[in-house]
Amino acid sequence: MKYSRTRMAVAIAGALALTSTLVACGSDEDPKADANAKVTLNVVGLLPGSKPEAQQALAAEVTDFQKENPNITVVTKDYEWKATTFAADLAGGTLPTVFEIPFTDAKTLIGNGQIADMQSSLSTLSYASNFNKNVLQYGQGPDGHVYAIPAKSVYAVGLHYNRDLFTKAGLDPSKPPTTWDEVRAAAKAIAEKTGQAGFAQMAKDGTGGWQLTVDTYARGGRLEDGKKATLTNDATKASLQFLKDLRWTDNSMGANFDYDWTGINQAFAAGKVGMYTSGQDVYTSLVQTNNIDPKTYGLTMIPLSGGDSGVLGGGTMAAVSSKASANEKAAAIKWIDYHYLRKYTNAEAAKKAAEIQIASKQPVGTPELPIFTQQQYQQYQEWIKPLVNVPLDQMTTFTGKVFEAKVVNEPPLATQDVYKSLDTVVQAVLTDKNANIDQLLADANTKAQRAIDAAG
C-alpha cells in the first residue's frame, strides 16, 4: 500500500516531527552491568487465550533471541493490560520485569518511581537518536531521561466492519460509511436484515470513556482544556445522543451493552457485530486470539465532522520495573530491541520476524503508524512486502486517508480516571431510555475535575 509522501498530519497533541535527537547523556550514576552475567528475564508475552500458532511464533522468537544472547533466559507471561487491575498488579509485584503500558500512563509511573530509568541502556542502540521526539517524550521524565520506550507504533482508531454482514444487509462492503448518518443507516440495515448488532460500543473498565473520547474527537470536541475538565462539550453530547438513537430509536445495537476490549473483539470476530471502533492494529489480535475469517474483515476511517475534528491516537511503551537490577536492565534493552524495534530498522530482522509469523500462520503487514519516521516505515513495508498476508485491499479506505487526518492524543491529565467517569455515562445511555445526558455529563465532569486536580 502507498502512503502520501507530501503530507503526514499525524499528531499527538500537535504535529509529529519526523526526526529527532535523543537526550544525549544517560545517568552516570547507574551501576554498571556485567555483560557476562547469567540473567533470567521475565517479560510480557501474548494476550491470554492466544492461539497455539501465536504461542509457537513467540517461542521461536525467544529461542532465536537466546541464541544471540546465550547468557539471557527469557520467560514470557501472557498478560492483558487493564486499567482496573494494572495498578494492583504493579504494586503487588506480579508483573514481569519488562511490561507494556499505554502512552498515557508513563508520566504517572515515572513520578511514582515505579519504572526504571532506561536512558543509559537505550543509548546503546544504534538507532536511539531516530525516535520521533513527540512519541519518545511520553516516556521521558522531568530529568529528560527515557524511562519508557515506544515499543509498538502509534495507532489511530478506525471503524472496523464485517464485510459479510454488510453484504447480507444489502450494503456494499467496498463502500463503507463516511458519515455518522451513514453509520447509523448501515447499523439499522444490518440489525433488521441479519438480526445481529449493527453497531456496538465498549462500555466498561475504562473502554467506554476511551471510545466516547474517540467519538468526541471525531466531532471536533475535547475532554480537557489545560487543567480543566470539559466533558460537557457539545461534541460529547452529540456522541451520546447518537448512541441513544441507535439503541432506543433504531434498536440496532443488539442486547450486549457491557463490552470491554476483549469481549467486543470476540463478538466481532464471531460475526455478532457489524461495526465498532478501535485501534487500527486490532486485526492482529483478532487473528491471534479470536480466529477471525480474513474475508469478513474491513477497516475504514471513522467519520470526521467539525473544524477541529481528529482521530484519537495512542500507543504502547515498554517499561522495566524500578526494582530491576543493572543486569536485568541491560538484558531488557536487548529484548526490547529484538522483540519490538529491530524489525523497523534492519532489513534482515524485518524479514526474519515476518518469516516466523508466516510459518506460524500469523498476520504480517497489519497497518501501523510509524514511531520513527514515515520514510523509515515505508522502507520497512518494502522489506516485508513479499510476505504480507493481511487483506490490505480491504483496508484502503483507512490506509489511504489516515495520513491526511489530524491524529490527537488521549486526554493528558488523569486519563484513566476521566475514562472511568465516562464509563457510567455510556452504560446509562445504553441501558436507560430516559437517561439525562446533560446531568450525567455534569456529574462525570465533577468526578473528572477532581481527578485532574489530584493529578496536579
Side-chain angles (χ1 to χ4, degrees):
M1 58 187 168
K2 300 295 183 182
Y3 291 109
S4 168
R5 292 180 181 272
T6 59
R7 183 177 177 217
M8 180 186 176
V10 176
I12 301 178
L16 288 183
L18 294 182
T19 58
S20 67
T21 301
L22 190 65
V23 176
C25 58
S27 172
D28 293 330
E29 298 178 359
D30 285 347
K32 300 298 181 181
D34 180 355
N36 298 315
K38 297 288 186 181
V39 178
T40 296
L41 186 68
N42 294 290
V43 305
V44 162
L46 299 172
L47 293 171
S50 293
K51 293 195 301 183
E53 293 86 353
Q55 297 287 359
Q56 290 165 11
L58 179 60
E61 188 177 3
V62 168
T63 297
D64 288 344
F65 172 80
Q66 292 177 159
K67 288 179 181 177
E68 186 175 307
N69 301 274
N71 62 312
I72 302 173
T73 298
V74 171
V75 178
T76 63
K77 176 183 178 181
D78 288 355
Y79 185 78
E80 178 183 354
W81 185 94
K82 290 187 177 181
T84 53
T85 59
F86 175 77
D89 289 336
L90 181 58
T94 59
L95 288 180
T97 302
V98 181
F99 51 89
E100 297 174 358
I101 57 174
F103 279 10
T104 51
D105 281 25
K107 297 292 188 184
T108 298
L109 298 175
I110 293 169
N112 292 342
Q114 291 175 295
I115 57 178
D117 184 337
M118 295 297 291
Q119 181 69 45
S120 295
S121 299
L122 182 61
S123 297
T124 65
L125 301 180
S126 61
Y127 51 81
S129 63
N130 296 333
F131 283 99
N132 183 296
K133 65 180 179 180
N134 285 318
V135 173
L136 191 68
Q137 63 98 10
Y138 287 97
Q140 290 177 309
D143 55 2
H145 290 188
V146 175
Y147 290 74
I149 300 168
K152 296 178 181 177
S153 58
V154 181
Y155 71 80
V157 170
L159 178 68
H160 307 264
Y161 66 99
N162 185 300
R163 294 173 61 88
D164 185 50
L165 290 180
F166 264 59
T167 299
K168 290 178 179 178
L171 304 168
D172 186 347
S174 297
K175 296 180 180 179
T178 59
T179 68
W180 289 111
D181 285 343
E182 289 178 1
V183 170
R184 181 178 177 182
K188 187 175 182 181
I190 291 169
E192 290 177 348
K193 301 285 182 61
T194 73
Q196 303 297 341
F199 185 90
Q201 185 92 345
M202 301 181 215
K204 70 175 185 179
D205 295 345
T207 62
W210 175 42
Q211 290 305 301
L212 185 58
T213 303
V214 170
D215 302 339
T216 297
Y217 286 3
R219 292 174 171 84
R222 300 293 185 269
L223 297 178
E224 293 180 1
D225 181 6
K227 295 186 176 182
K228 180 182 178 182
T230 58
L231 278 59
T232 58
N233 70 84
D234 289 342
T236 303
K237 292 180 182 179
S239 300
L240 289 165
Q241 186 61 51
F242 174 79
L243 294 176
K244 192 172 185 179
D245 290 342
L246 263 67
R247 167 67 176 98
W248 298 105
T249 302
D250 301 346
N251 192 28
S252 60
M253 295 187 72
N256 191 332
F257 311 110
D258 198 29
Y259 283 122
D260 60 4
W261 186 82
T262 301
I264 204 167
N265 289 346
Q266 183 177 19
F268 178 75
K272 297 179 180 180
V273 169
M275 294 175 285
Y276 77 116
T277 54
S278 190
Q280 97 284 334
D281 56 347
V282 78
Y283 180 79
T284 295
S285 180
L286 291 171
V287 171
Q288 291 182 339
T289 308
N290 306 116
N291 200 33
I292 193 171
D293 180 352
K295 295 192 296 293
T296 69
Y297 180 79
L299 171 65
T300 192
M301 288 287 291
I302 60 171
L304 301 177
S305 60
D308 200 26
S309 62
V311 180
L312 184 146
T316 298
M317 309 194 93
V320 177
S321 170
S322 58
K323 299 177 182 179
S325 67
N327 291 338
E328 287 176 322
K329 288 171 61 176
I333 200 64
K334 291 180 179 180
W335 173 251
I336 291 169
D337 165 48
Y338 194 93
H339 179 61
Y340 295 108
L341 299 174
R342 192 184 299 183
K343 67 181 182 180
Y344 298 117
T345 62
N346 180 277
E348 183 180 352
K351 293 175 183 177
K352 184 176 182 179
E355 287 167 354
I356 290 175
Q357 297 301 98
I358 288 290
S360 303
K361 300 180 181 179
Q362 299 304 297
V364 172
T366 299
E368 304 175 44
L369 299 182
I371 57 174
F372 294 108
T373 66
Q374 186 182 7
Q375 290 78 12
Q376 183 64 52
Y377 179 61
Q378 288 170 332
Q379 178 64 74
Y380 164 69
Q381 287 181 301
E382 289 300 316
W383 290 335
I384 66 169
K385 188 175 181 179
L387 298 168
V388 169
N389 61 0
V390 169
L392 294 179
D393 58 338
Q394 295 164 204
M395 308 178 190
T396 55
T397 51
F398 178 88
T399 57
K401 296 179 180 179
V402 67
F403 284 119
E404 302 300 324
K406 178 189 294 184
V407 179
V408 187
N409 192 39
E410 298 174 77
L413 298 176
T415 311
Q416 301 304 330
D417 291 308
V418 171
Y419 287 168
K420 289 175 186 176
S421 72
L422 288 169
D423 273 1
T424 54
V425 179
V426 174
Q427 291 164 8
V429 167
L430 295 180
T431 58
D432 180 1
K433 187 175 183 178
N434 299 313
N436 186 320
I437 290 175
D438 287 343
Q439 186 59 55
L440 288 166
L441 283 178
D443 293 344
N445 199 75
T446 298
K447 294 178 183 177
Q449 188 62 59
R450 192 178 302 126
I452 290 171
D453 291 342

